[in-house]
Amino acid sequence: MHDQPFVSVVIPNYNYAKTLPRCLEALQHQTYKHFEVIVIDDGSTDESVEIAKQYPCRLIQTRNNGVSAARNLGAAEAKGEIVFFLDSDVALFEDALANTVTAFEEDPTLGSVCGIYAKEALFRDSLFEEYRTLQGYYWRKSSEGYVTAGFFSLGAVRKSVFMELGGFDRRLNNSEDIEFGHRLNEKYRLLLTSKVMGYHDDEDEFRKLARKMHERARQRVPFYFHRKKPTKGFETPLRGIGMLFVGLSTLLLPLALVEASMLWGFLACVLVFLLTDAGQYLFVRKERGLLFTLYFIAMHWAITAVVFWGFVRGFFNFATSRQFRMKYKYGE
């Protein structure tokens, strides 16, 4: 009789034929062996289904309903005491499942254990992807500990807790992690730990990430209004101040192009932005050198500007659209 907890690895997938083999291969090399793999293919139009059939997993095909619905379906089908949600563009370190189980066993108050992405990308597709990979690693690594925002691209939940909470909000496919994490924290604790890690194939184009981050920021406005609780994790007050100064700098930049005196105001805003997250840039300087750090700063300023205007758009939508307020009234 097996005395180790059984783990169900649930992988939602939509058109990730490029990364799915690496994801499934990494699971075959886990040091922890008492688990099953469930792939929920969410209506892929590429070769994902054929790829999944080549690996030891249970494949469930659905029409395209979004990641939240796919995860909920996988959890309902799971036989394990622990449900480990894993995106199909992530390849786990070989000790990830073992360390997850250990964390649950050591702390019975935990409802969830979430991991972080490695500082190396799964595929090095572009310089921009290297920016995003290092940035994501640093923010999560510097936020280790008990948090309120979940990261269920590689995060586990006790199945009993998941079913008690009713799963992810199907209306959300961009901010479902943070909403579920806050609901979970009302009764349980959520641990973010670098002992659970995986290589991630992040966005490799500015346009793709900008669209995603803008919409995520827009959706979070009603969350902050309705929940009335701060998010504990990488969204620190200092980083919030930095974002405000980035927003101001975007207003000053066009003025600086026609009025030289405005340039000093723009540069002052950028300086405040840098100081509010100085540790991040020192980390990048150590990892990749000065030239890449300058590129990193430029990209991070631009993405932060996109996020700022996403929040502005969200506040406008919240004030003018009852449909927006109700549609994104999280957890209700």
Side-chain angles (χ1 to χ4, degrees):
M1 189 169 183
H2 218 298
D3 58 356
Q4 292 181 307
F6 191 56
V7 178
S8 296
V9 180
V10 173
I11 304 174
N13 176 77
Y14 176 68
N15 286 348
Y16 275 93
K18 171 187 173 183
T19 59
L20 187 58
R22 294 284 293 273
C23 175
L24 294 171
E25 286 165 10
L27 288 170
Q28 293 183 300
H29 296 96
Q30 291 295 299
T31 58
Y32 192 84
K33 302 299 183 182
H34 197 41
F35 69 94
E36 65 173 347
V37 179
I38 305 172
V39 175
I40 308 295
D41 189 79
D42 198 31
S44 293
T45 57
D46 62 5
E47 298 79 28
S48 291
V49 170
E50 289 71 26
I51 290 170
K53 289 178 179 178
Q54 299 173 25
Y55 292 87
C57 67
R58 182 149 50 112
L59 174 65
I60 300 174
Q61 295 178 250
T62 69
R63 61 182 182 179
N64 188 236
N65 293 314
V67 65
S68 294
R71 287 175 179 162
N72 288 347
L73 175 59
E77 294 288 331
K79 299 175 182 177
E81 304 162 51
I82 297 170
V83 180
F84 192 111
F85 294 106
L86 177 66
D87 279 3
S88 55
D89 58 357
V90 178
L92 289 179
F93 284 20
E94 64 180 14
D95 60 355
L97 293 185
N99 290 341
T100 299
V101 171
T102 298
F104 277 120
E105 291 179 336
E106 291 179 346
D107 187 351
T109 69
L110 288 177
S112 175
V113 175
C114 292
I116 71 174
Y117 299 145
K119 59 184 177 182
E120 301 87 14
L122 182 61
F123 296 104
R124 297 182 64 180
D125 295 312
S126 70
L127 199 62
F128 181 79
E129 184 173 10
E130 293 179 38
Y131 145 73
R132 178 59 175 167
T133 300
L134 278 177
Q135 188 270 322
Y137 168 81
Y138 179 82
W139 273 29
R140 288 170 174 82
K141 185 71 172 66
S142 62
S143 303
E144 274 194 279
Y146 296 107
V147 298
T148 54
F151 299 98
F152 295 103
S153 53
L154 67 167
V157 187
R158 297 187 194 274
K159 183 173 181 180
S160 59
V161 172
F162 188 82
M163 302 311 289
E164 175 190 340
L165 297 177
F168 294 103
D169 190 329
R170 289 172 55 108
R171 297 169 299 175
L172 308 175
N173 287 305
N174 212 337
S175 297
E176 73 286 347
D177 290 14
I178 187 172
E179 190 276 332
F180 182 81
H182 272 266
R183 273 192 286 132
L184 183 143
N185 267 270
E186 292 176 3
K187 291 182 63 176
Y188 307 96
R189 295 206 290 180
L190 193 161
L191 178 67
L192 179 65
T193 174
S194 60
K195 291 183 178 179
V196 179
M197 294 190 72
Y199 298 105
H200 181 224
D201 186 43
D202 222 315
E203 285 84 358
D204 58 1
E205 295 179 13
F206 177 88
R207 176 178 53 84
K208 292 179 182 178
L209 182 62
R211 185 186 303 117
K212 175 181 175 180
M213 298 300 288
H214 182 88
E215 180 59 21
R216 179 177 293 173
R218 187 180 79 93
Q219 287 186 20
R220 286 187 181 178
V221 170
F223 173 80
Y224 295 135
F225 269 103
H226 294 306
R227 303 297 292 181
K228 298 180 175 64
K229 296 179 181 178
T231 298
K232 183 180 179 182
F234 58 76
E235 293 180 346
T236 66
L238 271 180
R239 287 171 180 155
I241 292 170
M243 184 181 66
L244 290 175
F245 274 87
V246 168
L248 180 58
S249 71
T250 63
L251 298 175
L252 290 175
L253 181 58
L255 298 176
L257 297 176
V258 296
E259 176 57 54
S261 61
M262 292 294 179
L263 179 61
W264 295 109
F266 169 77
L267 293 176
C269 289
V270 173
L271 178 61
V272 173
F273 166 65
L274 295 176
L275 292 175
T276 56
D277 209 355
Q280 174 175 236
Y281 308 112
L282 292 174
F283 162 75
V284 175
R285 171 71 174 82
K286 181 180 178 181
E287 290 288 322
R288 295 293 305 274
L290 179 60
L291 285 179
F292 183 84
T293 302
L294 294 174
Y295 171 80
F296 183 101
I297 289 170
M299 291 301 100
H300 196 51
W301 178 89
I303 288 295
T304 304
V306 168
V307 171
F308 172 82
W309 288 108
F311 276 117
V312 171
R313 183 180 168 209
F315 278 110
F316 179 80
N317 291 156
F318 189 87
T320 60
S321 171
R322 184 178 183 277
Q323 182 181 6
F324 179 77
R325 291 194 296 273
M326 294 301 103
K327 181 178 180 181
Y328 295 115
K329 194 167 184 177
Y330 290 17
E332 298 185 10

